[in-house]
Amino acid sequence: MYSRLKYTEKQRNISEFILLGFSYDQNMQIFCFVLFLFCYDTLLAGNFLILVSIRCSPLFHQPMYYFLSHLSSMDICYTSTVTPKFIGDLLGGTKTISYDNCMLQVFAMHFFGSTEVFILTVMALDRYVAICKPLHYVIIMNRTKCYLLVLAAWAGGALHSFPQLLMAIQLPFCGPNELDHYFCDIFPLLKVACTDTYITGVLVVANSGMVALVTFVVLFVSYVIILFSLRHHSAEGRLKALSTCGSHITVVILFLGPSIFAYIRPPTTFPEDKIFALFYTIVAPMFNPLIYTLRNTEMKSAMRKVLCQTLFSKEVCN
């Protein structure tokens, strides 16, 4: 592999890329800076609050909240690979990123993003067992299996992202170094590579596109089965299950919908790609805390307790 990397290095004569971002208008960039800084701060605060609330309460021992804590961790890691630099570039002049950091961003984006997709799948499995097989829930979703499912999600993320990285580092770059995006991704890189990228593009679609599409289909079918089985439950049980499943479905649509548009098509770039990318890099992770806590009384109670103990004494909160 080392010799392959040395060969690839000889095939490029650029050391950095220029990210074109959204707009050259200074006023628009300042507006975007304020907007996305607010979004990123909200995202960090919300997901950290969920993490601390779950870790500091008995909810951590329930599979659904154990998986939710991992989802919040992925939201923070995933968004932080792109958003801080994006926000900083909005106030800077030329938006550059070194070749090595660009490759690292490609890997991190796909690793944390795909791991998050697999955790969403695990959460759908958890809801399926809880609603369709309630008497066997404790046995099926025991602690060991929860650990293994999260480990499988991380392994799936690695299996998806390493091929993406290998395809990216083998691309030769010898001409234009302007990427029509606000972060490094495989399709913008294919556009400026000085070689025929048709085969690589097909492989990217087969990898990223099919992961997004297959996962979406699996999640859609699983939630259809869950909703269909609710007709045998009481009105109160249906309302509680619909509330939980509705939150999950909203997250899946916000995250996977734009991802499918971005990757399950011919390997080229469109101006709309940057808008859709905002949904799966910033918007969906920002709304996750709100979606998962708005109608969840257990989470709201745990978060109130954490906030109360942070601001006041334990005796006052108890």
Side-chain angles (χ1 to χ4, degrees), residues 143-178:
R143 203 60 175 174
T144 301
K145 287 181 182 175
C146 289
Y147 290 147
L148 290 175
L149 286 169
V150 170
L151 182 62
W154 282 80
L159 286 173
H160 164 73
S161 55
F162 274 109
Q164 298 287 107
L165 175 64
L166 290 175
M167 285 186 283
I169 62 178
Q170 292 184 74
L171 292 172
F173 302 101
C174 51
N177 64 338
E178 293 184 340

Side-chain angles (χ1 to χ4, degrees), residues 158-284:
L159 286 173
H160 164 73
S161 55
F162 274 109
Q164 298 287 107
L165 175 64
L166 290 175
M167 285 186 283
I169 62 178
Q170 292 184 74
L171 292 172
F173 302 101
C174 51
N177 64 338
E178 293 184 340
L179 302 182
D180 188 17
H181 218 304
Y182 63 90
F183 63 89
C184 281
D185 201 6
I186 192 73
F187 281 168
L189 287 170
L190 290 178
K191 191 174 181 179
V192 299
C194 51
T195 186
D196 182 10
T197 59
Y198 176 78
I199 299 299
T200 306
V202 171
L203 292 174
V204 171
V205 172
N207 187 349
S208 297
M210 293 311 296
V211 165
L213 182 61
V214 171
T215 306
F216 181 81
V217 171
V218 169
L219 290 171
F220 178 78
V221 171
S222 65
Y223 282 118
V224 167
I225 295 172
I226 290 171
L227 295 175
F228 185 74
S229 68
L230 288 177
R231 70 190 195 281
H232 300 302
H233 290 63
S234 64
E236 183 181 353
R238 281 199 300 269
L239 186 62
K240 185 176 180 180
L242 283 171
S243 176
T244 304
C245 290
S247 301
H248 292 190
I249 292 169
T250 304
V251 170
V252 167
I253 292 173
L254 277 175
F255 190 82
L256 284 179
S259 300
I260 292 172
F261 173 83
Y263 294 107
I264 196 74
R265 56 176 171 77
T268 186
T269 58
F270 297 106
E272 295 81 7
D273 288 350
K274 290 179 279 188
I275 303 299
F276 279 94
L278 287 175
F279 281 90
Y280 58 80
T281 58
I282 299 176
V283 175

Side-chain angles (χ1 to χ4, degrees), residues 124-139:
L125 172 65
D126 172 70
R127 290 301 85 202
Y128 169 78
V129 176
I131 294 171
C132 299
K133 300 180 181 295
L135 298 179
H136 301 91
Y137 179 74
V138 176
I139 299 173

